[in-house]
Amino acid sequence: VSWLARALGFTSINAIGVDLAETQVRRARTRSRDLSELEGIELTFETGDICERLPWPDASFDLCLCLYGVLNHIPPSRVSGLLAEIARVTRHDLIATVRSIGSTPTICVDSIEEARWFWHDECRNRLEAELQNGGRLSMDFRLFGTAELKAASNPYFEVTELQGLDLFHGRFTRDRRWNRTSKTSASFIRKLESLEERYCRDPEFVDHANHLLFVASPRPSPRAEADR
Ligand SMILES: C[S@@+](CC[C@H](N)C(=O)[O-])C[C@H]1O[C@@H](n2cnc3c(N)ncnc32)[C@H](O)[C@@H]1O
């Protein structure tokens, strides 16, 4: 939050973070303790369901961040209502990252090696997995393509940026479980970076990225227009 806000020219930050899971809220509080002590930074974390009506007035936030796949966990029937609510409470931009339809596998809660097996059901938008320790998980998990993201957000947002993140790095970096001694050279990494830049908005590549970066500004609501 801090580097992004400063890079955008904000001199103070008053941010509220919301998560459905109490453990995630506690983790966020602990991890942000050092940040909260800095002058001009006020961070609050709350437990809440973002699919419900958001408890803040219209245009009460400059920015809304919805990062690392939060939208992937929202049941498809609730995404439109959530985007409408985010557009209502956001003055400037929504910045979201979501897992894309062409991304490499994940089990969300742990590294993929911790799964004995996993299965993503694209019809029911569910992720099921059994962990090495015998634990089972089952959660709402919908992968997004750029077309779905544009269609879902179009009534409420104007898209200013939609690009793929990690098209090449994750796939080309050597896997240490397979070859522990070989190293990826710095020049190869630079070449991957230039490939990322070249193809991150290419329609044939973007849906193959691990994440989609989505930046959008709310369309004026009919009520705000009428008040002008
Ligand atoms: C992949 S994690 C991302 C966490 C965090 N945004 C970050 O950047 O580290 C997705 C989070 O979305 C939360 N989540 C899923 N459905 C939610 C809902 N309806 N309301 C609030 N949070 C939700 C989950 O509890 C989980 O912590």
Side-chain angles (χ1 to χ4, degrees):
V1 172
S2 118
W3 65 264
L4 180 66
R6 304 251 193 251
L8 293 171
F10 293 103
T11 49
S12 65
I13 301 165
N14 187 352
I16 302 177
V18 181
D19 199 290
L20 198 55
E22 180 60 40
T23 46
Q24 293 284 68
V25 170
R26 275 203 300 272
R27 186 176 292 169
R29 283 188 191 127
T30 309
R31 289 198 178 171
S32 64
R33 209 167 279 148
D34 292 349
L35 205 58
S36 303
E37 283 163 11
L38 299 177
E39 205 182 310
I41 298 190
E42 199 164 314
L43 304 177
T44 315
F45 297 96
E46 297 172 3
T47 310
D49 183 351
I50 56 172
C51 292
E52 302 296 329
R53 186 177 162 83
L54 300 177
W56 302 290
D58 295 1
S60 45
F61 298 99
D62 291 311
L63 287 179
C64 173
L65 306 182
C66 211
L67 304 178
Y68 289 110
V70 175
L71 291 177
N72 295 105
H73 296 286
I74 303 301
S77 62
R78 312 292 300 265
V79 169
S80 177
L82 169 59
L83 290 172
E85 273 296 277
I86 294 176
R88 181 183 67 75
V89 300
T90 305
R91 197 175 316 157
H92 295 299
D93 283 307
L94 161 65
I95 304 176
T97 62
V98 294
R99 277 255 162 195
S100 78
I101 45 175
S103 59
T104 53
T106 177
I107 55 162
C108 297
V109 297
D110 214 326
S111 63
I112 205 82
E113 297 86 65
E114 295 306 316
R116 207 174 276 165
W117 62 262
F118 60 87
W119 173 250
H120 181 238
D121 184 334
E122 281 177 303
C123 299
R124 294 190 305 126
N125 293 297
R126 298 285 299 175
L127 173 66
E128 316 276 347
E130 185 176 307
L131 305 177
Q132 301 291 4
N133 66 12
R136 295 287 294 260
L137 64 87
S138 174
M139 63 177 83
D140 287 308
F141 196 63
R142 170 202 191 177
L143 295 169
F144 280 95
T146 45
E148 288 107 313
L149 210 47
K150 280 186 196 156
S153 61
N154 187 51
Y156 318 107
F157 287 97
E158 189 161 336
V159 181
T160 50
E161 181 63 280
L162 185 48
Q163 61 166 271
L165 302 179
D166 188 8
L167 276 157
F168 299 102
H169 278 92
R171 288 167 173 85
F172 281 86
T173 304
R174 295 221 172 105
D175 189 327
R176 289 176 61 77
R177 291 166 301 175
W178 191 244
N179 188 333
R180 252 184 303 141
T181 49
S182 67
K183 286 202 178 106
T184 307
S185 73
S187 103
F188 185 68
I189 300 276
R190 277 197 299 279
K191 282 180 187 153
L192 291 182
E193 275 160 18
S194 71
L195 284 171
E196 299 284 354
E197 270 170 41
R198 187 158 158 196
Y199 290 104
C200 68
R201 294 183 191 83
D202 183 316
E204 281 186 296
F205 276 85
V206 67
D207 281 342
H208 294 270
N210 266 329
H211 295 268
L212 299 173
L213 168 68
F214 174 83
V215 183
S217 47
R219 297 187 191 282
S221 71
R223 216 177 84 199
E225 288 287 86
D227 290 347
R228 278 193 189 188

